[in-house]
Amino acid sequence: MSTSHVLLGLLAAGPSHGYDLKRRHDERFPQARPLAYGQVYSTLQRMVRDGLAEVEGSESDGGPERTTYRRTEEGARTLHRWLAEVAPPAPFVANEIFTKVVVALLSGADRAGGAGRQGGDDAPAPDPAAYLHAQRAAHMARMRELTAVKTAPGADLSTVLSADYALSHLDADLRWMADAAQRLDALAQEVQAP
Amino acid sequence: MSASPTASAAPLLAARGLHLSHGATPALRGASLTVSAGETVAVTGPSGSGKSSLLHCMSGILRPDSGEVRLDGERLDTLPEERRSALRRTEFGIVFQFGQLVPELTALDNTALPLLLGGARRKEAQETAGAWLERFGVRGQAGLRPGEMSGGQAQRVALARALVTGPRAVFADEPTGALDSLAAEQVMTALVHAVRESGTALLLVTHDARTAAFAEREVTVLDGTVHDPSGRSGPPAAASATGGAAARRTGEDA
Ligand SMILES: Nc1ncnc2c1ncn2[C@@H]1O[C@H](COP(=O)(O)OP(=O)(O)O)[C@@H](O)[C@H]1O
Ligand SMILES: [Mg+2]
C-alpha cells in the first residue's frame, strides 16, 4: 500500500490539486496519520515521472497558483491492479483491506455516475465484493496451513501457541471482512456522496 | 483428488438444483454441491442462509421440493423413507450441535446403538463402540449418561457414535457450536484425524472460520444457493445472475 494508490483513487473523481487531495485524504481516513503536504507534492511528482498522472493545468483563484493533476490511463490500470491484488494473509492486514475497499468505491464513483470519463476506462471496474471474496479465500488458505501445522501429531506447544496467535488475528480479519461485505452498499453511499 | 475406494466414477455425493421451503419460507433456491469420497468440506454462511437445510437434504433427512441428491450416482431423494433411513444408518454418520444422544443410555450404549439397530450382536457392538470411545479419548466416560458428562465429552461420544458403523460420509452441523475454543479444537482434531484415517467424507456446517479451516475446502451458502470457489459444484443456479447482491455477502456469521 502506498500514498500513490490512495491519490490515484482520489483522482478518479476528476482532476485535483495537492492541497485538495490532502484534505480529502485526511477526511476519508480519519484513523490514518494526516498526509504531510510535502509528501503529497513529492508523490504527485513521482507519479508524473512514472506516467501515472499528468499536469492538467494551473489555477489561482486570487490566491497562490495551484497545479492541478489528472490520472493517466496507466495510472488507472496501476490502481486497478493493486485493488484486485490480494494482501499476504499475515495478521494485521485489516487496515490495508479497509483502505482498498474505500479506494475501490471512490474509484468506482465516476463510473457509476457515467460523467467525467477519463483515463483507464478499459481497465475492469473495481469490484470490492469480488476483492473481499478473493481476500477471504487467501485468509482461509493460510488458516488451513496453520491448522495443519498445529494439529500435526507431535507439534510442540510453542508451535501450537504461535499458530494460534496468527489464527486468532486472521479470524478477526475475516469477521471484519464479513461485516464489511454485508455493509458495502451503505459504505458506497457514504463514500460516494458528493 | 483423493482416490475413491469404489470403482464408480460418480462423486460420493452430488446435490443438484435443490429447492426447499419450510412452509412459506424458502430455505434452498437451487443449491448444488458435489463431495468426493474421503473429502472434507466446510459449509459456511450467515444464519438462515440454508446451511442446515442443505445438510438435511444431502443426508436424506429431508426431501427437497425439487432438484436431486445422488449417492454414488444413484438417486437418494426419491427413495422411500425407510430406505433412506436404512442408508443413513449404514452409510452416514450425523452429528448436531447437541441433543442427539439418548439421555437414558450410557456413552457405551449410545455409541453401540447404530450397530445394534443394524443387527449386530451386543458383545461385538460394545467392543467396537469401546474402541471408538478410546479414539476420541472418552473411554473413561463409557459408563456415564449424557447428563453426567461435559459438553465436550458428550460431543466426542456423539462423534464416536457417528463413526462406529464405518460410514462413507459424516454430516456435522455446528458440532463445536456449544464448546469453548480449546474443547472445540480437540473435538475437531479428533474428528478430522478419524475421517482422514478411515477415508470418510465430512460435510461440516459451521459459522466459525477456525473450525472451517480444519476442512480441505470451503463453500459458502448465501440466500439458499451454494458458492463454491473451486467450481466443482457447478454455478450457483439462481443467484449467479444477480451477481453483486449475492456475491456481496462474503463471509459467515459475525
Ligand atoms: N422448521 C422450520 N420451520 C420454518 N422455517 C424454517 C425451519 N427450518 C429452517 N427454517 C427457515 O429456513 C431458512 C433456512 O434455515 P436453515 O437451513 O436452518 O439455515 P442455517 O442453518 O444457515 O441457519 C431460514 O429462513 C429459517 O428461518
Ligand atoms: Mg443451521
Side-chain angles (χ1 to χ4, degrees):
Chain A
M1 179 170 64
S2 72
T3 308
S4 66
H5 292 131
V6 179
L7 296 186
L8 283 170
L10 293 170
L11 283 173
S16 189
H17 55 73
Y19 182 75
D20 187 44
L21 290 169
K22 172 204 160 32
R23 189 182 50 73
R24 282 161 59 208
H25 167 276
D26 295 351
E27 228 171 67
R28 185 56 64 203
F29 300 102
Q31 271 80 38
R33 204 176 326 130
L35 279 184
Y37 182 70
Q39 190 190 349
V40 177
Y41 182 75
S42 61
T43 304
L44 284 168
Q45 302 270 297
R46 213 170 33 247
M47 287 162 64
V48 170
R49 185 198 65 199
D50 297 342
L52 305 180
E54 57 198 20
V55 172
E56 164 96 354
S58 316
E59 57 179 45
S60 62
D61 309 324
E65 199 175 71
R66 282 169 165 171
T67 307
T68 3
Y69 295 84
R70 67 194 294 280
R71 190 169 82 165
T72 62
E73 263 185 48
E74 180 52 27
R77 273 196 296 274
T78 300
L79 178 67
H80 291 141
R81 256 196 313 276
W82 175 72
L83 289 173
E85 211 172 84
V86 159
F92 311 129
V93 297
N95 196 39
E96 169 160 0
I97 296 171
F98 177 65
T99 305
K100 227 168 230 193
V101 168
V102 172
V103 171
L105 293 172
L106 282 169
S107 180
D110 58 326
R111 290 162 188 282
R117 290 174 71 82
Q118 51 171 327
D121 278 333
D122 50 347
D127 182 348
Y131 161 69
L132 284 172
H133 257 300
Q135 186 69 58
R136 177 182 173 87
H139 268 58
M140 284 301 302
R142 181 75 189 121
M143 287 181 74
R144 267 182 223 115
E145 288 170 12
L146 290 163
T147 302
V149 164
K150 78 167 197 177
T151 57
D156 56 36
L157 191 54
S158 51
T159 303
V160 170
L161 287 175
S162 80
D164 268 342
Y165 179 81
L167 280 165
S168 309
H169 285 89
L170 288 164
D171 188 31
D173 280 358
L174 280 177
R175 284 165 195 261
W176 177 85
M177 281 168 5
D179 291 353
Q182 303 243 32
R183 294 170 147 184
L184 265 188
D185 290 333
L187 182 65
Q189 278 179 17
E190 185 181 298
V191 165
Q192 293 168 0
Chain B
M1 291 288 121
S2 60
S4 163
T6 65
S8 162
L12 178 68
L13 276 165
R16 284 276 159 273
L18 298 186
H19 286 258
L20 176 76
S21 290
H22 300 283
T25 313
L28 296 177
R29 315 170 188 238
S32 299
L33 176 60
T34 301
V35 180
S36 304
E39 192 181 31
T40 55
V41 182
V43 179
T44 58
S47 311
S49 59
K51 304 181 295 295
S52 295
S53 300
L54 176 66
L55 182 139
H56 288 148
C57 287
M58 289 186 78
S59 59
I61 294 174
L62 286 181
R63 246 182 150 131
D65 301 333
S66 64
E68 55 179 57
V69 178
R70 289 177 187 269
L71 171 66
D72 290 326
E74 304 284 336
R75 286 292 283 270
L76 171 67
D77 54 296
T78 47
L79 296 176
E81 167 52 28
E82 81 266 17
R83 291 266 294 116
R84 280 187 284 136
S85 142
L87 276 177
R88 282 202 298 279
R89 206 173 54 236
T90 56
E91 309 290 307
F92 298 156
I94 301 175
V95 185
F96 299 117
Q97 188 170 338
F98 33 52
Q100 69 269 38
L101 296 176
V102 181
E104 296 79 14
L105 297 183
T106 63
L108 187 67
D109 288 338
N110 259 295
T111 308
L113 193 59
L115 296 172
L116 295 172
L117 291 174
R121 287 219 301 269
R122 188 171 175 80
K123 185 163 176 293
E124 279 143 37
Q126 289 199 335
E127 266 166 31
T128 310
W132 277 103
L133 290 178
E134 176 89 50
R135 287 256 359 208
F136 282 101
V138 281
R139 182 93 195 219
Q141 282 70 34
L144 300 182
R145 293 187 172 74
E148 300 165 330
M149 290 179 264
S150 73
Q153 289 168 344
Q155 247 356 32
R156 288 152 184 260
V157 174
L159 290 171
R161 189 174 77 169
L163 281 151
V164 76
T165 57
R168 317 266 315 276
V170 167
F171 297 85
D173 195 346
E174 302 280 5
T176 59
L179 306 181
D180 65 45
S181 61
L182 227 45
E185 178 185 306
Q186 288 165 351
V187 164
M188 283 310 302
T189 304
L191 172 59
V192 165
H193 283 162
V195 294
R196 294 239 162 95
E197 248 168 62
S198 54
T200 306
L202 173 65
L203 198 63
L204 170 69
V205 167
T206 180
H207 69 275
D208 175 37
R210 294 184 66 161
T211 301
F214 278 86
E216 294 152 0
R217 204 174 130 209
E218 179 191 36
V219 300
T220 306
V221 180
L222 297 168
D223 294 333
T225 63
V226 178
H227 295 253
D228 182 352
S230 79
R232 304 221 342 255
S233 299
S240 61
T242 66
R248 206 143 268 210
R249 270 171 284 131
T250 317
E252 76 275 60
D253 290 355

